[in-house]
Amino acid sequence: MQNILEQIGIENYIYLSVLLFCIGAFGVLYRRNAIIMFMSIEIMLNAVNLLLVAFSTYHQDAQGQVFVFFSMAVAAAEVAVGLSILVSIFRNTGSIDIDNLKNLKG
Amino acid sequence: MSILTIFYILAAFTLATGFLTVVSKNPIHSAIYLVLCFFSVAGHYLMFNAQFLSLVHIIVYAGAIMVLILFTIMLMNLNKENEPNKNLLSKISAAIAFGLLGFVMLATFIKTMPIIDTYKQSGQDYQSIKVLGKVLLNEYMVPFEFASVLLLVAMIGAVLLSKKSTSIQ
């Protein structure tokens, strides 16, 4: 099996991950809908995971892939807890627009 | 068709679906685009020959997480195209922050040098499911067990948080 990094190069994967991470950060800043912000956080997590796998292949070491596996487990737990928080926010305020959550502002 | 062409097509697809996820008005459309984005990231993993991660990525992200998000969208009846509080200033500042972040990170990485000049394949198997299972259950045994504890705690917390609390009111 020929390694694809000989043909593609690690730089292209770095640029792809950086752009994907920037798209995720843009989504968190741009949208006010809390569910879309969650999806943007997932995009950012995916960008970092993709770069970890790329460097794991680059160094030909399995540790990076194990780390990505744990990161996926943490992402699953985070989404479950975050969505249940969203459900309770929706139940209390009637919307998931995060601009409505200003109760702690003095 | 060279492998570089396949990479460019797949990368363009990933970036386009990721961007459409962010800018779509309808949350259902965003979720569908995000599923496509996850599948293309799984395609990138397959190009690395990381079969285990590719399968786990499809199962966890496209299977579990997206079903959870879609279920929440349907449950809260959010599939209408209203975005309240169109604040133009925050949108402009978000676009500027996006541009600056992308510029700084690309400018950081564009001058970096790879530590390996000529890339050589060592020939040993390091990312098949067999090898990964051995690494996961020998060296990373304790973190693996703690991941199960984390998932259990997250499950209990999700049930407790979304339970209708009758004692407060």
Side-chain angles (χ1 to χ4, degrees), chain A residues 5 12 15 17 23-24 29 33 40 48 51 66 72 79 88 90 92 102-103:
Chain A
L5 282 176
N12 283 330
Y15 301 149
S17 296
I23 286 174
L29 295 172
N33 190 334
S40 308
V48 176
L51 199 57
V66 173
M72 280 179 186
V79 164
S88 55
F90 183 74
N92 284 325
K102 290 180 186 163
N103 289 336

Side-chain angles (χ1 to χ4, degrees), chain B residues 108-161:
Chain B
T108 309
F109 287 119
I110 214 159
K111 297 296 266 182
T112 49
M113 291 287 172
I115 57 168
I116 304 170
D117 287 336
T118 52
Y119 191 78
K120 277 206 198 71
Q121 180 84 351
S122 71
Q124 63 175 1
D125 182 19
Y126 62 94
Q127 60 180 1
S128 68
I129 298 179
K130 194 174 165 187
V131 174
L132 270 184
K134 276 181 183 156
V135 172
L136 199 58
L137 290 181
N138 286 326
E139 293 171 53
Y140 292 93
M141 184 72 197
V142 178
F144 185 71
E145 298 293 335
F146 274 106
S148 69
V149 176
L150 171 76
L151 289 176
L152 178 70
V153 169
M155 190 178 74
I156 296 173
V159 170
L160 274 182
L161 276 173

Side-chain angles (χ1 to χ4, degrees), chain A residues 9-106:
Chain A
I10 192 78
E11 308 89 14
N12 283 330
Y13 277 102
I14 292 175
Y15 301 149
L16 171 66
S17 296
V18 163
L19 285 176
L20 205 56
F21 187 88
C22 290
I23 286 174
F26 174 64
V28 170
L29 295 172
Y30 182 70
R31 297 299 294 261
R32 302 288 93 190
N33 190 334
I35 281 194
I36 312 281
M37 292 173 74
F38 252 105
M39 294 183 194
S40 308
I41 291 171
E42 293 303 314
I43 290 177
M44 285 197 274
L45 278 171
N46 264 295
V48 176
N49 282 350
L50 181 61
L51 199 57
L52 272 173
V53 175
F55 275 108
S56 154
T57 309
Y58 188 65
H59 291 286
Q60 306 188 13
D61 192 352
Q63 321 261 340
Q65 306 203 2
V66 173
F67 198 85
V68 171
F69 175 75
F70 286 121
S71 149
M72 280 179 186
V74 172
E78 171 247 328
V79 164
V81 174
L83 283 179
S84 62
I85 289 175
L86 275 190
V87 167
S88 55
I89 286 174
F90 183 74
R91 197 176 280 146
N92 284 325
T93 66
S95 80
I96 53 165
D97 185 10
I98 58 151
D99 281 341
N100 292 336
L101 305 176
K102 290 180 186 163
N103 289 336
L104 280 181
K105 195 167 152 189

Side-chain angles (χ1 to χ4, degrees), chain A residues 4 13 16 20 42 45-47 49-51 53 65 68 72, chain B residues 6-7 10-11 13-15 17 33-63 127:
Chain A
I4 60 155
Y13 277 102
L16 171 66
L20 205 56
E42 293 303 314
L45 278 171
N46 264 295
N49 282 350
L50 181 61
L51 199 57
V53 175
Q65 306 203 2
V68 171
M72 280 179 186
Chain B
I6 300 175
F7 168 76
L10 204 55
F13 189 74
T14 308
L15 290 177
T17 48
Y33 284 129
L34 192 57
V35 170
L36 291 177
C37 185
F38 284 160
F39 271 106
S40 64
V41 172
H44 282 294
Y45 290 163
L46 267 188
M47 282 177 72
F48 282 123
N49 201 19
Q51 307 117 345
F52 173 71
L53 275 185
S54 165
L55 286 176
V56 167
H57 190 267
I58 287 179
I59 291 171
V60 170
Y61 278 98
Q127 60 180 1

